[in-house]
Amino acid sequence: MVDVVRLVETRLRTALGEPDARASVTFLGTERIEVLRFLDEGVARYATLGMSAAPMTDPAAVLADPDRGPRAELLLSVRVVPGGAVDQVLRALAMLAASPQVEGVVVAPGASLDVGEPLWPSAPFTSVLVAAGGGLVADLELDEPLEPVRFLPLLPMTPNEAAWKRVHGAAALEERWLRHGTDLRSPQRGSVPLND
């Protein structure tokens, strides 16, 4: 049996270098989820490790296939600021990575994921938009019948942005961020203008 998590960690190290910190979280009834932190010129990149150990399955499926189904890990990039409060995002990331096991959620680009509280102390964000992968870390191809592991970036959303996205869609919000030059790595940014 292929050790998917080991292959994922190798891919992360190849793409992002050596992690400077790691933490693990286990939720009742789930496999352990680790979060690795990579520092890169003033930006902290957090990557989950363990979400891809099993494929995500449609909650409506009668039986879960142990091999077939999408696999993913989550990536979050945030500018480092004094105080280190952003490092407390580790638990929120682990919760999001465990959501396929706990809630039967299939995490895919365009989805919103909400933790119901600030992503870290004093953060203006309680949810994230799942963006398309393939940029920062390339997909990890696995032998058939296993599907590739996709490394999906998470883009923090303010509550106003999350509400606007529910009405207008993910593509419209991403276009608005781009048009206004929104710094999505800023840990304390305000909401993008939503009524122009």
Side-chain angles (χ1 to χ4, degrees):
M1 184 81 182
V2 62
D3 186 346
V4 174
V5 174
R6 183 181 56 77
L7 294 174
V8 165
E9 184 167 1
T10 299
R11 172 58 56 92
L12 288 169
R13 288 172 183 267
T14 300
L16 303 175
E18 288 298 310
D20 77 312
R22 68 191 305 149
S24 65
V25 180
T26 304
F27 301 100
L28 186 63
T30 68
E31 297 295 323
R32 181 180 69 178
I33 300 288
E34 289 190 89
V35 180
L36 310 182
R37 184 183 69 186
F38 302 85
L39 291 179
D40 178 26
E41 296 182 7
V43 174
R45 303 191 191 282
Y46 301 92
T48 64
L49 181 63
M51 179 179 172
S52 61
M56 296 179 276
T57 57
D58 186 329
V62 177
L63 290 174
D65 188 316
D67 294 326
R68 290 179 176 81
R71 294 174 189 259
E73 296 291 352
L74 307 176
L75 301 170
L76 175 69
S77 297
V78 182
R79 189 171 305 106
V80 176
V81 294
V86 174
D87 275 344
Q88 294 182 46
V89 75
L90 301 175
R91 181 165 176 76
L93 283 176
M95 285 172 52
L96 296 175
S99 62
Q101 293 179 56
V102 175
E103 301 169 20
V105 174
V106 176
V107 177
S112 299
L113 302 174
D114 196 313
V115 296
E117 60 186 33
L119 293 177
W120 56 84
S122 79
F125 320 107
T126 60
S127 62
V128 294
L129 174 65
V130 182
L136 188 61
V137 182
D139 294 348
L140 173 63
E141 298 292 333
L142 301 172
D143 293 335
E144 293 286 346
L146 305 182
E147 292 187 27
V149 177
R150 306 204 184 284
F151 298 87
L152 303 175
L154 301 180
L155 308 175
M157 294 187 291
T158 66
N160 287 343
E161 290 170 338
W164 196 88
K165 181 260 179 190
R166 281 192 293 276
V167 174
H168 300 280
L173 179 58
E174 290 187 82
E175 187 278 329
R176 185 165 286 269
W177 280 334
L178 187 61
R179 182 158 39 98
H180 287 275
T182 306
D183 180 2
L184 296 174
R185 296 184 300 189
S186 171
Q188 292 295 332
R189 71 171 179 83
S191 186
V192 69
L194 298 170
N195 52 11
D196 60 352

